[in-house]
Amino acid sequence: MKKVLEVKNLKTHFFTQKGVVPAVDGVDIEVGAGEVVGIVGESGCGKSVTAMSILQLLQFPGKTVDGEVLLDGEDLLLKSPEEMYKYRGNKISMIFQEPMTSLNPVYTVGKQVAEILRVHTNISKVEARKKVIQMFEKVGIPEPIKRYDAYPHQLSGGLRQRVMIAMAIICDPVLMIADEPTTALDVTIEAQILYLMKQLQKDSGTSIVMITHNLGVVAEVCDRVYVMYAGKVMETTDVFTLFENPLHPYTSGLLNSIPKLTRVDEDLYTIRGIVPNLLNLPEGCRFCPRCDRAMKICTVMEPPLYDVGDGHQVRCFLYDKELMNG
Amino acid sequence: MTKYIIRRILTAIPIMIAVVFIIFMLLQVLPGNPISIMMGEKAKPAVIERVSRELGLYDPVLVRFGRYVWNALHGDFGRSYKLNRQVSDLIKLSFPNTVRLAISASLFAWLMGIPAGIISAIKRNKFVDHFVMAIALVGISSPVFWGAMLLQFVFGFKLKLLPLSGYNSYKHMILPAIILGWASAGSIARMVRSNLLEVMKNDYIRTARSKGLKPWAVVYKHALKNSLMPVVTLMAIQFAGMLSGAVITETVFGIGGIGRLTVDAINNRDMPLLQGATIFSTLIIIIGNMAADIMYSFLDPRIRDR
Ligand SMILES: Nc1ncnc2c1ncn2[C@@H]1O[C@H](COP(=O)(O)OP(=O)(O)O)[C@@H](O)[C@H]1O
Ligand SMILES: [Mg+2]
């Protein structure tokens, strides 16, 4: 499969007064053409920072200090700011978590979507309006002509997120990054939005990076998944294997903490402990203090990513053959 | 929207009535019989007594208040004791001078304050920012008469570029406009700066950046309107404040405006004039506030829908 996005050894740090926060600490992600790739992990593990780094949207004190972000083989981190403007919203678009606040309250939603066309193409105002209304129709906004002139506060959360989606796909990007696009929405609306995104993805063949802390969303839409913990990828595999045969204790923990109807009698499992302070990471494996299967080596050495076949990789010494057999 | 405007106007009316009443009552408790002031120190007590009765000064206070409001509604604010002219005529004569000063000072304040605030915000914590904010702070905190005399000394007396005082030409307006506008420019610059920095933290700014807009377009198209909305209110209120008379500026530069009129009325214990001028100034401020609110509602679609 052709690779649309390759993130290699991405390191993004925050240079705060208390010290350097390694929010993203050597992350590798690959996204194939037409693929929907999930990034999951508890909040604070660096999912959003990874996304913002790909688009280079981070501002002081955040800075990408190392790595490559290859889009169709070209390293975005080497592009000048002028060149980056042409990528944002055009080749890579982004949808954010808060549909309530992600739109500018003083402009109509139609105008805000049209703006992105006007920035990246030479389209006339009238043409842009037409195209936006068509796009509103496509993303399932009822009465698109009327809605064009609506202000964000006049729309529901679900409709606003549809507006954001229209904005994200109107320039036909090769990659769309959705950062928790449904977290702020009701469950029914969430299902509708996920269905819409899946549908649009099938039509256009755009690759999607779906960031979420919700494994249900992953199961719903993703082909492949990266499990992140404290700025590192802990496990990556296809979505079936993730649910059928999770290898990393952290992944198992996440899966066990999903409420299941078949286990009503048991208490809900939670991973013990809390996400470590990035300013003060433990020696060795960063998940070790919370891990039920931790070994001696885990406290002193950071495990590498072990390849266990079929593109399944896991960052855990339990899968080091020599170590475990010898 | 129309409803909002009507409601806003209707709520202003009781405020106006209350304010007029309070001013009226306050001036009642000032010591001294107005008739003796009007007639001078040599007037006989019996005459004072008779004229007071004839003019209805011994009527109950509410009756006098009613009479005053009734006459005021007909454009009659009484006669000035000292100048022996209709108060309304005196206000009509001085108000244009105050308006001219207020417009010049406000233009100065807006043209300096808004760009200064934007530059400061964009160059936050850089030298330009500190420099602009220092000038703003001097403008806000230095006394008007000090700055006025300084400018008069430099530009009027030493360089002889501008007239020292008076109000006959546009040249006369430059120094007073700078002096009166400086403080207001300073507070506008500070407010624009802090609002802009605050607005830049919003999610929709991140959205704008993710759309591929260049930094200036993000500020100009997405941050500025949102951050200027509260500033418009400040500007309208400041403008109304200037329209109600800039006492010190008018006095220092010898401009015959509402502020000067009020000061003269106080010095002369000219009650009808003082009362008329004060009420006029206050009404201007109330109307200015109302206009600011209505203007704000035009800018912010969220308020428009309420
Ligand atoms: N502006 C910032 N200053 C300092 N640290 C930050 C900043 N933004 C994010 N971080 C750090 O980056 C980590 C990852 O954040 P984020 O990517 O937003 O997590 P999430 O996975 O929930 O999206 C956070 O735990 C925080 O420590
Ligand atoms: Mg996040």
Side-chain angles (χ1 to χ4, degrees), chain B residues 20 24 64-78 86 88 275-276 279-280 283:
Chain B
V20 171
F24 186 86
R64 277 182 286 140
F65 178 67
R67 192 158 53 216
Y68 184 77
V69 171
W70 180 252
N71 290 337
L73 286 176
H74 292 81
D76 177 10
F77 288 86
Q86 282 294 319
S88 51
Q275 196 160 303
I279 287 173
F280 180 77
L283 291 187

PDB file of all heavy atoms in Angstrom, chain B residues 20 24 64-78 86 88 275-276 279-280 283:
ATOM      1  N   VAL B  20     -31.763  62.925  36.994  1.00  0.00           N
ATOM      2  CA  VAL B  20     -32.176  64.328  37.036  1.00  0.00           C
ATOM      3  C   VAL B  20     -32.685  64.671  38.435  1.00  0.00           C
ATOM      4  O   VAL B  20     -32.347  65.707  39.010  1.00  0.00           O
ATOM      5  CB  VAL B  20     -33.264  64.590  35.969  1.00  0.00           C
ATOM      6  CG1 VAL B  20     -33.858  65.980  36.150  1.00  0.00           C
ATOM      7  CG2 VAL B  20     -32.688  64.430  34.578  1.00  0.00           C
ATOM      8  N   PHE B  24     -31.044  67.380  40.987  1.00  0.00           N
ATOM      9  CA  PHE B  24     -31.922  68.439  41.465  1.00  0.00           C
ATOM     10  C   PHE B  24     -31.897  68.512  42.992  1.00  0.00           C
ATOM     11  O   PHE B  24     -31.708  69.578  43.574  1.00  0.00           O
ATOM     12  CB  PHE B  24     -33.342  68.170  40.955  1.00  0.00           C
ATOM     13  CG  PHE B  24     -34.312  69.268  41.253  1.00  0.00           C
ATOM     14  CD1 PHE B  24     -34.424  70.363  40.383  1.00  0.00           C
ATOM     15  CD2 PHE B  24     -35.109  69.230  42.384  1.00  0.00           C
ATOM     16  CE1 PHE B  24     -35.317  71.377  40.653  1.00  0.00           C
ATOM     17  CE2 PHE B  24     -36.006  70.246  42.657  1.00  0.00           C
ATOM     18  CZ  PHE B  24     -36.123  71.319  41.789  1.00  0.00           C
ATOM     19  N   ARG B  64     -41.575  71.842  42.954  1.00  0.00           N
ATOM     20  CA  ARG B  64     -40.550  72.554  42.198  1.00  0.00           C
ATOM     21  C   ARG B  64     -39.876  71.631  41.190  1.00  0.00           C
ATOM     22  O   ARG B  64     -39.583  72.026  40.065  1.00  0.00           O
ATOM     23  CB  ARG B  64     -39.500  73.138  43.160  1.00  0.00           C
ATOM     24  CG  ARG B  64     -39.965  74.478  43.732  1.00  0.00           C
ATOM     25  CD  ARG B  64     -38.923  75.069  44.646  1.00  0.00           C
ATOM     26  NE  ARG B  64     -38.905  74.346  45.910  1.00  0.00           N
ATOM     27  CZ  ARG B  64     -37.805  74.032  46.564  1.00  0.00           C
ATOM     28  NH1 ARG B  64     -36.622  74.369  46.067  1.00  0.00           N
ATOM     29  NH2 ARG B  64     -37.871  73.380  47.704  1.00  0.00           N
ATOM     30  N   PHE B  65     -39.656  70.373  41.610  1.00  0.00           N
ATOM     31  CA  PHE B  65     -39.033  69.410  40.699  1.00  0.00           C
ATOM     32  C   PHE B  65     -39.917  69.190  39.470  1.00  0.00           C
ATOM     33  O   PHE B  65     -39.455  69.232  38.329  1.00  0.00           O
ATOM     34  CB  PHE B  65     -38.783  68.079  41.425  1.00  0.00           C
ATOM     35  CG  PHE B  65     -38.186  67.022  40.525  1.00  0.00           C
ATOM     36  CD1 PHE B  65     -36.894  67.174  40.016  1.00  0.00           C
ATOM     37  CD2 PHE B  65     -38.909  65.887  40.169  1.00  0.00           C
ATOM     38  CE1 PHE B  65     -36.348  66.213  39.193  1.00  0.00           C
ATOM     39  CE2 PHE B  65     -38.363  64.929  39.330  1.00  0.00           C
ATOM     40  CZ  PHE B  65     -37.077  65.094  38.847  1.00  0.00           C
ATOM     41  N   GLY B  66     -41.216  68.998  39.748  1.00  0.00           N
ATOM     42  CA  GLY B  66     -42.154  68.786  38.643  1.00  0.00           C
ATOM     43  C   GLY B  66     -42.126  69.960  37.674  1.00  0.00           C
ATOM     44  O   GLY B  66     -42.064  69.794  36.459  1.00  0.00           O
ATOM     45  N   ARG B  67     -42.126  71.173  38.260  1.00  0.00           N
ATOM     46  CA  ARG B  67     -42.127  72.361  37.426  1.00  0.00           C
ATOM     47  C   ARG B  67     -40.849  72.410  36.581  1.00  0.00           C
ATOM     48  O   ARG B  67     -40.880  72.695  35.386  1.00  0.00           O
ATOM     49  CB  ARG B  67     -42.214  73.593  38.332  1.00  0.00           C
ATOM     50  CG  ARG B  67     -42.523  74.872  37.562  1.00  0.00           C
ATOM     51  CD  ARG B  67     -43.117  75.920  38.477  1.00  0.00           C
ATOM     52  NE  ARG B  67     -42.289  76.148  39.648  1.00  0.00           N
ATOM     53  CZ  ARG B  67     -42.751  76.412  40.868  1.00  0.00           C
ATOM     54  NH1 ARG B  67     -44.047  76.496  41.090  1.00  0.00           N
ATOM     55  NH2 ARG B  67     -41.933  76.592  41.876  1.00  0.00           N
ATOM     56  N   TYR B  68     -39.729  72.050  37.238  1.00  0.00           N
ATOM     57  CA  TYR B  68     -38.451  72.105  36.532  1.00  0.00           C
ATOM     58  C   TYR B  68     -38.455  71.143  35.343  1.00  0.00           C
ATOM     59  O   TYR B  68     -38.091  71.508  34.227  1.00  0.00           O
ATOM     60  CB  TYR B  68     -37.304  71.751  37.483  1.00  0.00           C
ATOM     61  CG  TYR B  68     -35.944  71.882  36.842  1.00  0.00           C
ATOM     62  CD1 TYR B  68     -35.358  73.143  36.662  1.00  0.00           C
ATOM     63  CD2 TYR B  68     -35.250  70.762  36.387  1.00  0.00           C
ATOM     64  CE1 TYR B  68     -34.131  73.278  36.053  1.00  0.00           C
ATOM     65  CE2 TYR B  68     -34.014  70.887  35.782  1.00  0.00           C
ATOM     66  CZ  TYR B  68     -33.450  72.143  35.620  1.00  0.00           C
ATOM     67  OH  TYR B  68     -32.236  72.272  35.019  1.00  0.00           O
ATOM     68  N   VAL B  69     -38.897  69.892  35.596  1.00  0.00           N
ATOM     69  CA  VAL B  69     -38.908  68.888  34.524  1.00  0.00           C
ATOM     70  C   VAL B  69     -39.843  69.328  33.405  1.00  0.00           C
ATOM     71  O   VAL B  69     -39.514  69.225  32.217  1.00  0.00           O
ATOM     72  CB  VAL B  69     -39.329  67.514  35.080  1.00  0.00           C
ATOM     73  CG1 VAL B  69     -39.562  66.526  33.949  1.00  0.00           C
ATOM     74  CG2 VAL B  69     -38.258  66.976  36.020  1.00  0.00           C
ATOM     75  N   TRP B  70     -41.002  69.835  33.826  1.00  0.00           N
ATOM     76  CA  TRP B  70     -41.981  70.275  32.818  1.00  0.00           C
ATOM     77  C   TRP B  70     -41.379  71.345  31.910  1.00  0.00           C
ATOM     78  O   TRP B  70     -41.428  71.244  30.690  1.00  0.00           O
ATOM     79  CB  TRP B  70     -43.246  70.786  33.524  1.00  0.00           C
ATOM     80  CG  TRP B  70     -44.302  71.257  32.566  1.00  0.00           C
ATOM     81  CD1 TRP B  70     -44.681  72.543  32.327  1.00  0.00           C
ATOM     82  CD2 TRP B  70     -45.106  70.438  31.722  1.00  0.00           C
ATOM     83  NE1 TRP B  70     -45.674  72.581  31.384  1.00  0.00           N
ATOM     84  CE2 TRP B  70     -45.955  71.293  30.993  1.00  0.00           C
ATOM     85  CE3 TRP B  70     -45.195  69.053  31.515  1.00  0.00           C
ATOM     86  CZ2 TRP B  70     -46.880  70.829  30.055  1.00  0.00           C
ATOM     87  CZ3 TRP B  70     -46.119  68.590  30.583  1.00  0.00           C
ATOM     88  CH2 TRP B  70     -46.948  69.476  29.862  1.00  0.00           C
ATOM     89  N   ASN B  71     -40.746  72.340  32.529  1.00  0.00           N
ATOM     90  CA  ASN B  71     -40.130  73.400  31.739  1.00  0.00           C
ATOM     91  C   ASN B  71     -38.975  72.865  30.893  1.00  0.00           C
ATOM     92  O   ASN B  71     -38.812  73.250  29.742  1.00  0.00           O
ATOM     93  CB  ASN B  71     -39.602  74.516  32.645  1.00  0.00           C
ATOM     94  CG  ASN B  71     -40.758  75.284  33.274  1.00  0.00           C
ATOM     95  OD1 ASN B  71     -41.866  75.291  32.740  1.00  0.00           O
ATOM     96  ND2 ASN B  71     -40.503  75.892  34.424  1.00  0.00           N
ATOM     97  N   ALA B  72     -38.190  71.961  31.497  1.00  0.00           N
ATOM     98  CA  ALA B  72     -37.030  71.417  30.785  1.00  0.00           C
ATOM     99  C   ALA B  72     -37.483  70.683  29.530  1.00  0.00           C
ATOM    100  O   ALA B  72     -36.863  70.793  28.474  1.00  0.00           O
ATOM    101  CB  ALA B  72     -36.241  70.476  31.692  1.00  0.00           C
ATOM    102  N   LEU B  73     -38.596  69.944  29.679  1.00  0.00           N
ATOM    103  CA  LEU B  73     -39.105  69.219  28.519  1.00  0.00           C
ATOM    104  C   LEU B  73     -39.508  70.185  27.410  1.00  0.00           C
ATOM    105  O   LEU B  73     -39.546  69.825  26.233  1.00  0.00           O
ATOM    106  CB  LEU B  73     -40.297  68.344  28.911  1.00  0.00           C
ATOM    107  CG  LEU B  73     -39.932  67.079  29.703  1.00  0.00           C
ATOM    108  CD1 LEU B  73     -41.181  66.335  30.133  1.00  0.00           C
ATOM    109  CD2 LEU B  73     -39.021  66.171  28.883  1.00  0.00           C
ATOM    110  N   HIS B  74     -39.801  71.419  27.789  1.00  0.00           N
ATOM    111  CA  HIS B  74     -40.115  72.431  26.779  1.00  0.00           C
ATOM    112  C   HIS B  74     -38.892  73.249  26.400  1.00  0.00           C
ATOM    113  O   HIS B  74     -39.000  74.333  25.832  1.00  0.00           O
ATOM    114  CB  HIS B  74     -41.232  73.356  27.275  1.00  0.00           C
ATOM    115  CG  HIS B  74     -42.552  72.661  27.385  1.00  0.00           C
ATOM    116  ND1 HIS B  74     -42.893  71.877  28.462  1.00  0.00           N
ATOM    117  CD2 HIS B  74     -43.597  72.582  26.520  1.00  0.00           C
ATOM    118  CE1 HIS B  74     -44.099  71.365  28.287  1.00  0.00           C
ATOM    119  NE2 HIS B  74     -44.539  71.763  27.109  1.00  0.00           N
ATOM    120  N   GLY B  75     -37.726  72.760  26.772  1.00  0.00           N
ATOM    121  CA  GLY B  75     -36.497  73.436  26.369  1.00  0.00           C
ATOM    122  C   GLY B  75     -36.121  74.602  27.259  1.00  0.00           C
ATOM    123  O   GLY B  75     -35.212  75.361  26.942  1.00  0.00           O
ATOM    124  N   ASP B  76     -36.798  74.739  28.381  1.00  0.00           N
ATOM    125  CA  ASP B  76     -36.512  75.876  29.259  1.00  0.00           C
ATOM    126  C   ASP B  76     -35.841  75.380  30.535  1.00  0.00           C
ATOM    127  O   ASP B  76     -36.479  74.753  31.372  1.00  0.00           O
ATOM    128  CB  ASP B  76     -37.830  76.596  29.580  1.00  0.00           C
ATOM    129  CG  ASP B  76     -37.613  77.745  30.551  1.00  0.00           C
ATOM    130  OD1 ASP B  76     -36.434  78.089  30.820  1.00  0.00           O
ATOM    131  OD2 ASP B  76     -38.618  78.282  31.043  1.00  0.00           O
ATOM    132  N   PHE B  77     -34.545  75.664  30.673  1.00  0.00           N
ATOM    133  CA  PHE B  77     -33.810  75.243  31.863  1.00  0.00           C
ATOM    134  C   PHE B  77     -33.624  76.408  32.823  1.00  0.00           C
ATOM    135  O   PHE B  77     -32.761  76.382  33.685  1.00  0.00           O
ATOM    136  CB  PHE B  77     -32.439  74.681  31.476  1.00  0.00           C
ATOM    137  CG  PHE B  77     -32.506  73.335  30.813  1.00  0.00           C
ATOM    138  CD1 PHE B  77     -32.700  73.219  29.444  1.00  0.00           C
ATOM    139  CD2 PHE B  77     -32.394  72.174  31.570  1.00  0.00           C
ATOM    140  CE1 PHE B  77     -32.764  71.982  28.848  1.00  0.00           C
ATOM    141  CE2 PHE B  77     -32.463  70.931  30.972  1.00  0.00           C
ATOM    142  CZ  PHE B  77     -32.654  70.837  29.599  1.00  0.00           C
ATOM    143  N   GLY B  78     -34.380  77.432  32.616  1.00  0.00           N
ATOM    144  CA  GLY B  78     -34.250  78.598  33.484  1.00  0.00           C
ATOM    145  C   GLY B  78     -33.217  79.574  32.948  1.00  0.00           C
ATOM    146  O   GLY B  78     -32.653  79.387  31.866  1.00  0.00           O
ATOM    147  N   GLN B  86     -30.690  82.659  28.857  1.00  0.00           N
ATOM    148  CA  GLN B  86     -31.300  81.337  28.981  1.00  0.00           C
ATOM    149  C   GLN B  86     -30.196  80.282  29.094  1.00  0.00           C
ATOM    150  O   GLN B  86     -29.234  80.292  28.331  1.00  0.00           O
ATOM    151  CB  GLN B  86     -32.168  81.034  27.751  1.00  0.00           C
ATOM    152  CG  GLN B  86     -33.524  81.720  27.762  1.00  0.00           C
ATOM    153  CD  GLN B  86     -34.412  81.198  28.886  1.00  0.00           C
ATOM    154  OE1 GLN B  86     -34.448  80.006  29.154  1.00  0.00           O
ATOM    155  NE2 GLN B  86     -35.112  82.100  29.564  1.00  0.00           N
ATOM    156  N   SER B  88     -30.403  77.245  28.316  1.00  0.00           N
ATOM    157  CA  SER B  88     -30.372  76.430  27.090  1.00  0.00           C
ATOM    158  C   SER B  88     -29.550  77.121  25.998  1.00  0.00           C
ATOM    159  O   SER B  88     -28.814  76.468  25.267  1.00  0.00           O
ATOM    160  CB  SER B  88     -31.792  76.160  26.601  1.00  0.00           C
ATOM    161  OG  SER B  88     -32.496  77.375  26.516  1.00  0.00           O
ATOM    162  N   GLN B 275     -27.184  73.570  37.382  1.00  0.00           N
ATOM    163  CA  GLN B 275     -28.153  72.483  37.288  1.00  0.00           C
ATOM    164  C   GLN B 275     -28.348  72.052  35.827  1.00  0.00           C
ATOM    165  O   GLN B 275     -28.275  70.870  35.508  1.00  0.00           O
ATOM    166  CB  GLN B 275     -29.476  72.985  37.864  1.00  0.00           C
ATOM    167  CG  GLN B 275     -30.458  71.915  38.180  1.00  0.00           C
ATOM    168  CD  GLN B 275     -31.481  72.441  39.176  1.00  0.00           C
ATOM    169  OE1 GLN B 275     -31.119  72.892  40.259  1.00  0.00           O
ATOM    170  NE2 GLN B 275     -32.728  72.419  38.811  1.00  0.00           N
ATOM    171  N   GLY B 276     -28.527  73.015  34.969  1.00  0.00           N
ATOM    172  CA  GLY B 276     -28.753  72.703  33.553  1.00  0.00           C
ATOM    173  C   GLY B 276     -27.552  72.011  32.940  1.00  0.00           C
ATOM    174  O   GLY B 276     -27.681  70.981  32.266  1.00  0.00           O
ATOM    175  N   ILE B 279     -27.082  68.426  34.394  1.00  0.00           N
ATOM    176  CA  ILE B 279     -28.077  67.489  33.866  1.00  0.00           C
ATOM    177  C   ILE B 279     -27.783  67.172  32.406  1.00  0.00           C
ATOM    178  O   ILE B 279     -27.808  66.016  31.984  1.00  0.00           O
ATOM    179  CB  ILE B 279     -29.493  68.064  34.048  1.00  0.00           C
ATOM    180  CG1 ILE B 279     -29.866  67.997  35.534  1.00  0.00           C
ATOM    181  CG2 ILE B 279     -30.517  67.300  33.210  1.00  0.00           C
ATOM    182  CD1 ILE B 279     -31.161  68.680  35.874  1.00  0.00           C
ATOM    183  N   PHE B 280     -27.420  68.173  31.651  1.00  0.00           N
ATOM    184  CA  PHE B 280     -27.091  67.963  30.242  1.00  0.00           C
ATOM    185  C   PHE B 280     -25.932  66.965  30.099  1.00  0.00           C
ATOM    186  O   PHE B 280     -26.022  65.989  29.354  1.00  0.00           O
ATOM    187  CB  PHE B 280     -26.721  69.305  29.601  1.00  0.00           C
ATOM    188  CG  PHE B 280     -26.359  69.213  28.161  1.00  0.00           C
ATOM    189  CD1 PHE B 280     -27.348  69.081  27.194  1.00  0.00           C
ATOM    190  CD2 PHE B 280     -25.027  69.238  27.752  1.00  0.00           C
ATOM    191  CE1 PHE B 280     -27.014  68.980  25.853  1.00  0.00           C
ATOM    192  CE2 PHE B 280     -24.691  69.140  26.416  1.00  0.00           C
ATOM    193  CZ  PHE B 280     -25.686  69.012  25.464  1.00  0.00           C
ATOM    194  N   LEU B 283     -26.996  63.419  31.042  1.00  0.00           N
ATOM    195  CA  LEU B 283     -27.830  62.780  30.028  1.00  0.00           C
ATOM    196  C   LEU B 283     -26.972  62.308  28.857  1.00  0.00           C
ATOM    197  O   LEU B 283     -27.186  61.225  28.310  1.00  0.00           O
ATOM    198  CB  LEU B 283     -28.915  63.743  29.535  1.00  0.00           C
ATOM    199  CG  LEU B 283     -29.994  64.075  30.561  1.00  0.00           C
ATOM    200  CD1 LEU B 283     -31.119  64.884  29.928  1.00  0.00           C
ATOM    201  CD2 LEU B 283     -30.565  62.807  31.201  1.00  0.00           C
TER     202      LEU B 283
END
